[in-house]
Amino acid sequence: MIKIEAFLPTSMQITEFEEQLFAAGALSVAAAEIRVFNRGEAKTETYRGVERVVHHSTQTKIEAIVPDELLPNITAIFTKLAEVLGGTAFPSFITNLNPPASAR
C-alpha cells in the first residue's frame, strides 16, 4: 500500500478530483482544510477590530491510499491536475505503507 499526500490550493473544487481517484482504484481518499505558514507571504486581517499581519494561508490536504500496482495511474491523475492548475507544481509526498522485510 502507498499513501500519497498533496497540498492543493483551496480555490479548486476537489469533488471531481476525488471521484477520479476512486475511479482509478484508490481505496481511501481524505480531504482536510489546513493553514500553512508562508514566510514570504503576509496579509493584513482584521479580527475583532484589531488589525494584524498574518503569515498563514489556507490549503486543502488530500490523502489517498492506493495499492502498489496502481501508483502510476494515480500519479497520472495528479499530473493532469497540475496541468489544469496552470502547470504549477504543488507539494506532494509518497509514503510506502508496506512493512519492511524482517532481517533474520
Side-chain angles (χ1 to χ4, degrees), residues 36 38-39 53 58 63 69 71 73 75 79 91 96 99 102 104:
V36 180
N38 290 331
R39 187 180 311 176
V53 177
T58 306
E63 292 182 354
E69 60 273 4
L71 184 61
N73 298 346
T75 54
T79 304
N96 188 358
S102 61
R104 295 183 190 192

Side-chain angles (χ1 to χ4, degrees), residues 11-22:
S11 60
M12 63 170 290
Q13 295 292 332
I14 60 168
T15 53
E16 293 177 14
F17 181 60
E18 288 176 332
E19 291 172 2
Q20 290 176 0
L21 290 173
F22 278 122

Side-chain angles (χ1 to χ4, degrees), residues 17 20 74-86 90:
F17 181 60
Q20 290 176 0
I74 301 296
T75 54
I77 292 173
F78 278 95
T79 304
K80 287 180 189 175
L81 178 65
E83 292 172 3
V84 168
L85 292 174
F90 47 85

Side-chain angles (χ1 to χ4, degrees), residues 37-55:
F37 178 78
N38 290 331
R39 187 180 311 176
E41 292 182 26
K43 59 184 176 181
T44 304
E45 288 184 354
T46 303
Y47 179 70
R48 294 187 179 179
V50 177
E51 283 191 3
R52 61 186 181 145
V53 177
V54 179
H55 293 279

